[in-house]
Amino acid sequence: QRILRLAEMCRRLETEEEKVLPFYPSSLEEGEQRDAQRVLEETPTEPLAQAMRDYLGLERFWQRFNKVKLEEQALERERETLSQRNQHLRELLRQYLAGISVSQEVLDQPNPL
């Protein structure tokens, strides 16, 4: 019941794209989809496979979880790129300001002009 209440609360915060996520076509080819379906229909013999069968209902959760993890990694890479660009622009600005101002500190350093 607690999980269902949390799911309802989270559902309100989903974007339109996330709400239609279950309807996205599979990235598997037709033959791969048939193989996957056949494997799912077989009766598992290993204990781990039997335990996994109990959690098939969480497949959509794991799809969303993995999508969020991928987005998180993409945003982290973008943040790093932007941080490097910001640092470069700050350095250019510092050089520019040093070139147009006159102070003892600036006079002690090589002037770009």
Side-chain angles (χ1 to χ4, degrees):
Q1 287 179 353
R2 183 171 182 232
I3 291 173
L4 290 175
R5 277 186 280 141
L6 288 172
E8 288 174 14
M9 289 172 26
C10 292
R11 180 80 173 156
R12 285 182 248 151
L13 301 173
E14 290 178 351
T15 63
E16 288 300 317
E17 182 181 320
E18 292 170 331
K19 289 180 181 178
V20 297
L21 178 67
F23 305 109
Y24 287 148
S26 175
S27 60
L28 297 176
E29 294 179 8
E30 194 172 318
E32 292 173 325
Q33 286 180 351
R34 282 193 301 260
D35 292 343
Q37 188 62 33
R38 184 175 38 79
V39 168
L40 287 174
E41 290 170 357
E42 292 176 0
T43 304
T45 57
E46 299 175 7
L48 180 59
Q50 290 173 350
M52 291 299 294
R53 194 173 185 96
D54 295 338
Y55 294 100
L56 285 178
L58 292 175
E59 182 178 353
R60 196 163 286 140
F61 164 78
W62 287 114
Q63 286 176 342
R64 289 180 175 173
F65 179 83
N66 290 332
K67 182 179 181 294
V68 168
K69 281 296 188 184
L70 286 173
E71 287 178 3
E72 180 184 22
Q73 288 178 355
L75 289 172
E76 181 61 31
R77 286 184 182 163
E78 184 180 358
R79 187 189 69 78
E80 289 173 11
T81 302
L82 291 173
S83 179
Q84 290 173 355
R85 184 170 182 217
N86 186 27
Q87 193 64 27
H88 176 69
L89 291 173
R90 284 178 185 265
E91 180 60 26
L92 290 175
L93 180 61
R94 188 191 63 73
Q95 289 175 3
Y96 172 76
L97 292 175
I100 63 169
S101 64
V102 178
S103 68
Q104 187 61 38
E105 182 182 327
V106 170
L107 293 175
D108 291 340
Q109 297 177 356
N111 195 319
L113 298 176

